Amino acid sequence: MTKFSTHLTNWYRNNARDLPWRNTRNPYQIWISEVILQQTRINQGLAYYLRFVDRFPTIDLLANADQQEILLLWQGLGYYSRARNMHEAAKQVLKIYDGVFPSTYDQIIKLKGVGEYTAAAIASIAFGEPKVVVDGNVLRFLSRLHGYTQPVNSARGKTAIREIAEKLLQDAEPAIFNQALMEFGALYCVPRNPDCINCIFSNSCQALALGIVNDLPVKSKKIVVKKRFLNYLFLYYYNENNQIIFFIQQRGKGDIWHGLFDLPLIEDDKCYDFDTLTTSEYWNENISSHEPVISTTYKDFTHQLTHQQLNTRFFTVKLENYNPLLTKKEWVEVTFENHKQYPTSRLIENYLTIIIPSLMK
Ligand code: SF4
């Protein structure tokens, strides 16, 4: 082992956080944890992980599950394609490997939604394959340690950092080395104000010696954020039992939140005012025949995704004379009691938690 890896793995053994996926070599559980934690902080991801492995303790149970139930368990985590891909990958494992999780990097990376990082993490942690993992924490830590001043989010930068990690790995135990590298970046070499004074690598850290700790890692060009304008309609009526019934619809393929449910929606190049809404084609075709009464107020929310800014406006519309024969076929009728059976985005969930109590008064 290199001096560095000995130092690092010793540090890890004494300082690592005690997390459930660190006490197992079960590739299925490691896979679940890696996917959940890809875009999620540990504090938030932990509860989801525990719920997920409790409900689906084995890969065949996940493969045979209903996708709606998986999305419901995932609700609030965002990046829902991760959950859909996991479902597909579980089916692949059942079909190709008879339900036994594949044991090599080359096999694992062929599973749906599994990229280099996740495949390396599972192969090294569960099976001891000498593959290095390079996540954001590793990029930051190693770029500072080695004074790497080129953009780390380019293919070239990632390759350069991976090569550094591979040299450092040498004869170390891959499972411990990789987790230690990520943990050190997460706990010590943090994005802002890293604890360089107490860092065990401060004597060899190039960024510290050059006084460029806060300039690293370098990242090239900003993400282009697309602005979208979504006019949502909370359409409701009272049934014969005086219950409030409202409508949701499932989102289709090729867009954010595929498979989740949201409210009837008009997307355009702006958020509508009342006139624009009530003279729109959508309104005339789908709503006007139900004798709608629109609330005099609406709610606005801005919802930020990685590549998109969603500017949303929610209108509340009571259907005074609801006619089921004229209902759009995509609309699903739900009550306040049963709408939680349907997975929704955090945006819709937040809105419903506001609107529902106000209408129940
Ligand atoms: S000295 Fe500071 S910048 Fe360098 S590795 Fe340690 S924590 Fe990171």
Side-chain angles (χ1 to χ4, degrees), residues 140-141 144-145 184 188-190 194-197 199-203 205-208 213:
R140 183 175 59 255
F141 173 31
R144 285 173 175 167
L145 190 68
F184 196 86
Y188 250 82
C189 199
V190 294
D195 190 4
C196 300
I197 292 172
C199 173
I200 54 173
F201 299 110
S202 59
N203 286 339
C205 178
Q206 295 291 307
L208 187 64
V213 168

Side-chain angles (χ1 to χ4, degrees), residues 37-309:
L37 295 178
Q38 270 166 26
Q39 311 280 352
T40 310
R41 291 189 313 278
I42 283 185
N43 285 353
Q44 187 195 10
L46 179 59
Y48 281 87
Y49 170 83
L50 294 172
R51 274 202 298 273
F52 218 86
V53 295
D54 181 57
R55 174 63 191 88
F56 304 118
T58 59
I59 200 161
D60 53 325
L61 286 173
L62 177 62
N64 291 320
D66 181 58
Q67 191 181 85
Q68 199 160 306
E69 188 185 359
I70 296 171
L71 292 174
L72 259 180
L73 269 181
W74 203 266
Q75 188 163 302
L77 267 181
Y79 299 94
Y80 290 86
S81 58
R82 291 181 293 169
R84 290 191 298 271
N85 286 340
M86 273 177 59
H87 193 203
E88 289 307 310
K91 289 182 195 169
Q92 276 179 285
V93 172
L94 199 58
K95 191 171 164 198
I96 304 170
Y97 301 105
D98 210 15
V100 178
F101 207 97
S103 59
T104 67
Y105 175 89
D106 290 342
Q107 292 170 320
I108 297 168
I109 201 165
K110 292 193 180 114
L111 298 176
K112 178 89 174 165
V114 174
E116 285 177 7
Y117 163 80
T118 308
I122 301 168
S124 64
I125 298 170
F127 301 105
E129 192 171 334
K131 287 276 179 190
V132 289
V133 293
V134 181
D135 70 351
N137 292 317
V138 174
L139 286 172
R140 183 175 59 255
F141 173 31
L142 292 184
S143 70
R144 285 173 175 167
L145 190 68
H146 285 254
Y148 186 77
T149 54
Q150 300 302 308
V152 293
N153 54 345
S154 63
R156 201 170 168 185
K158 282 181 188 157
T159 302
I161 299 291
R162 179 175 297 108
E163 285 172 0
I164 291 172
E166 281 166 354
K167 277 193 194 133
L168 295 171
L169 169 65
Q170 288 195 12
D171 298 326
E173 200 183 322
I176 302 294
F177 176 84
N178 279 335
Q179 292 185 87
L181 209 51
M182 292 188 281
E183 188 76 340
F184 196 86
L187 294 185
Y188 250 82
C189 199
V190 294
R192 286 169 205 271
N193 304 319
D195 190 4
C196 300
I197 292 172
N198 295 309
C199 173
I200 54 173
F201 299 110
S202 59
N203 286 339
S204 54
C205 178
Q206 295 291 307
L208 187 64
L210 296 167
I212 54 172
V213 168
N214 289 321
D215 300 327
L216 298 184
V218 172
K219 292 191 180 166
S220 60
K221 58 177 169 7
K222 287 186 178 162
I223 295 167
V224 178
V225 176
K226 181 181 169 188
K227 282 189 177 184
R228 296 175 69 176
F229 298 89
L230 309 176
N231 297 283
Y232 278 110
L233 296 160
F234 182 82
L235 302 167
Y236 72 100
Y237 71 95
Y238 289 93
N239 69 7
E240 60 283 4
N241 300 322
N242 215 27
Q243 262 183 316
I244 292 177
I245 308 291
F246 65 98
F247 296 90
I248 56 176
Q249 60 186 17
Q250 192 166 28
R251 293 186 65 88
K253 286 186 178 171
D255 199 356
I256 55 169
W257 301 333
H258 160 213
L260 269 62
F261 286 76
D262 63 4
L263 301 174
L265 160 73
I266 308 168
E267 178 163 4
D268 209 330
D269 58 2
K270 63 183 177 203
C271 284
Y272 287 174
D273 55 26
F274 291 114
D275 276 352
T276 316
L277 174 66
T278 54
T279 55
S280 69
E281 201 178 314
Y282 188 91
W283 182 275
N284 287 327
E285 282 182 6
N286 304 297
I287 300 168
S288 53
S289 55
H290 302 290
E291 293 182 25
V293 177
I294 190 163
S295 163
T296 52
T297 56
Y298 49 70
K299 289 245 175 280
D300 286 346
F301 298 94
T302 303
H303 192 76
Q304 193 68 50
L305 303 172
T306 311
H307 295 95
Q308 298 188 23
Q309 183 193 71

